[in-house]
Amino acid sequence: MNRAVALRIAACGIMGLGAALLIAALLLSTYTEGKIAKIPLDLDATLVSDGTGTAFDPASLNEQTFVIDRDVPLVQQQQMTVESPSNADVVTLQVGTTLRRTDKQQDNGLLLAMVDTVTVNRHTAAAVSSESNPGGAVQKPRSIDDDQPPTNIALPHEGLAYRFPFDTEKKTYPVFDPIAQKAFDANYDGEEDVNGLTTYRFSQNVGYDADGKLVEPVRYASLFDDEADADVTATAAMWGVPGEPDESITMARYYAAQRTFWVDPVSGTIVKREEHGYHYYAREPLKPEVTFVDYKVSFNEETVEAQVASARDERDRVALWGRILPITFTAMGLVFLVGGALLGSFSLRAESALIDPGLDESDHRFFGQRGPSGEPVPGAEAQTEKLPAPRPSDLPPDRPV
């Protein structure tokens, strides 16, 4: 194999590699990015929110009057894990939420507790359901010393749950509230910087209007079979309301909330959340009489930092496969294509030189010699080959000179 053929083979190989890199860049920017931009299957997060509020003292259930304390320290904790079914398309999130008074111990400080399970699309974060999977469930309440397996109550979810979609847009999204057991709109409010990360801010009102006025509270849906915490009957003295002390009064429990979400628009991760929740008892929905808990909490600094770091990790992963690698592969592919073409051109010249070495000299051309100005040299002035004349000694003896 001569040098020209070897160069031609190398040129074809380099151009083929360049074409492959361009195809890979196209696939990465279209098909592969869609496979990468998904909620991780190893998601495991603890979200802690701190705040204060007005809260019922559970210990007063055994006293003559319900005690409502003001300005008590509160902490809300959410533990988020991945359960089955989870696969390439969906992920099932189990989220245990508690609201606790930190000035009380154990059961005396627990105000709210719920274990919510929902299956969502890994890209859109929207709840999904099927015949075999209702799309969500809540766990029946249990006491601390209850060692029996938990029992779930089917609760179909709708809208978003605990995440926003990848490539979040500046629009209104329905976000599911497991306490109200329905979805409420979360409206886009603007952009805001959170620990150096540009986020979209969304606000959600459950039972409140945009001005924070109680307009349509939700009747609390009890998870107990006897609905013991949804409708409570006690004496006027225990409720602490006007009337005959021994008068029996039944009140219903209502719920309303306001939330603000700060969302990373690339990954849909909620990096910060503020929540105002209001649970109260009343005989008429819009006339609260006895507060169970009225609280305002927000992610603490450690949780915000962890959520921002998680969002950046997901951003980097999506950017690597969706932007950095495609750009790199495109640039390398173009370089290889151009380099292969140049090498191929050189191989053709090398092959021509092997066929006719004179064609590779600077003073020779394929169409004859040219003058200094580049014009063809007239035939009369062209160089001719001089044949040598025979010497007398070389002539035959009978031939005259």
Side-chain angles (χ1 to χ4, degrees), residues 230-245:
D231 294 285
V232 177
T233 300
T235 64
M238 293 189 69
W239 285 117
V241 298
E244 294 294 327

Side-chain angles (χ1 to χ4, degrees), residues 311-354:
R312 290 190 186 279
D313 288 343
E314 292 191 39
R315 275 191 174 211
D316 293 343
R317 180 166 54 89
V318 172
L320 175 65
W321 292 96
R323 186 175 65 253
I324 297 175
L325 288 181
I327 292 175
T328 302
F329 284 0
T330 299
M332 292 176 63
L334 292 175
V335 169
F336 281 127
L337 282 177
V338 173
L342 293 176
L343 185 59
S345 175
F346 179 75
S347 70
L348 290 177
R349 292 192 61 189
E351 187 173 12
S352 299
L354 290 174

